[in-house]
Amino acid sequence: MQFELRPFQLSDLRSLVKHANNYNIAKNLSNKFPFPYTQDDGIAFINLALSATPQEIFAIVVNGEAAGSIGVHPQQDFYCKNAEMGYWIAEAYWGQGIVPEAVKLMLNYGFRTFEVTRIFARTFDTNIKSQRVLEKAGFKLEAELAGTFYKNGTVYDELIYAVRKPAVL
């Protein structure tokens, strides 16, 4: 399926809220991603996405709509050679191969744009689909931390996947 990554625009608000307001998405993301997802949440997120220079967060655009988001976030202090990646896509587009390709594009962007040597992503042990996305994009499982995530009254294991910067980009 065709998609594009581009910076968010204020005109994405309606489609962002439409696709983000889904419990099945929110349950696998940090508590910073609310459910229900309101217009105010969408405005705050678009403003956040547009605030970084260079750009860290992009819209995943499918059929002309912002149907998801992907970001690569450089870390601080002694983690400064690392960046964390996060992503989500509308449930209607799950299993269509969009996210693994978006992750590959963001890996390339992240390594070319930021002075990092490692990009990592964290997922719930129960989120098998996200684990497969990361594996398809070349991530390797580095760690499984028992009982570190707490979401909606339940404790989950945290899986940490990572990719190291290739010698040649």
Side-chain angles (χ1 to χ4, degrees):
M1 173 162 274
Q2 296 276 331
F3 73 94
E4 72 171 308
L5 298 185
R6 64 156 169 76
F8 273 93
Q9 303 166 358
L10 295 177
S11 60
D12 291 326
L13 180 61
R14 197 173 124 262
S15 60
L16 172 64
V17 173
K18 175 178 107 175
H19 293 297
N21 189 30
N22 181 330
Y23 175 77
N24 290 327
I25 293 168
K27 74 179 183 181
N28 288 309
L29 298 175
S30 81
N31 290 325
K32 289 188 265 183
F33 191 99
F35 180 79
Y37 197 99
T38 67
Q39 188 164 331
D40 286 345
D41 296 320
I43 291 168
F45 180 76
I46 291 172
N47 286 332
L48 172 70
L50 296 175
S51 70
T53 304
Q55 199 82 37
E56 294 180 11
I57 301 170
F58 293 86
I60 302 174
V61 179
V62 183
N63 297 325
E65 289 191 333
S69 175
I70 188 164
V72 61
H73 309 282
Q75 304 296 289
Q76 302 297 315
D77 200 13
F78 48 74
Y79 292 109
C80 66
K81 292 297 182 182
N82 296 269
E84 182 172 9
M85 184 180 289
Y87 51 83
W88 67 270
I89 194 161
E91 190 171 6
Y93 301 114
W94 289 1
Q96 297 185 29
I98 295 170
V99 178
E101 292 307 312
V103 168
K104 290 175 189 175
L105 291 171
M106 282 302 286
L107 279 173
N108 189 41
Y109 173 82
F111 285 131
R112 288 182 181 272
T113 304
F114 304 106
E115 292 186 31
V116 297
T117 58
R118 176 177 170 267
I119 296 177
F120 69 96
R122 301 179 298 156
T123 186
F124 291 80
D125 62 312
T126 54
N127 191 347
I128 304 301
K129 289 179 181 178
S130 191
Q131 294 165 38
R132 295 302 159 261
V133 161
L134 294 168
E135 291 164 359
K136 286 178 186 177
F139 282 72
K140 303 290 184 220
L141 179 63
E142 287 190 343
E144 183 171 350
L145 306 177
T148 57
F149 283 169
Y150 180 76
K151 178 88 178 187
N152 298 327
T154 303
V155 175
Y156 298 92
D157 293 349
E158 171 187 3
L159 303 184
I160 302 172
Y161 285 81
V163 171
R164 303 291 169 158
K165 184 176 184 174
V168 177
L169 261 184

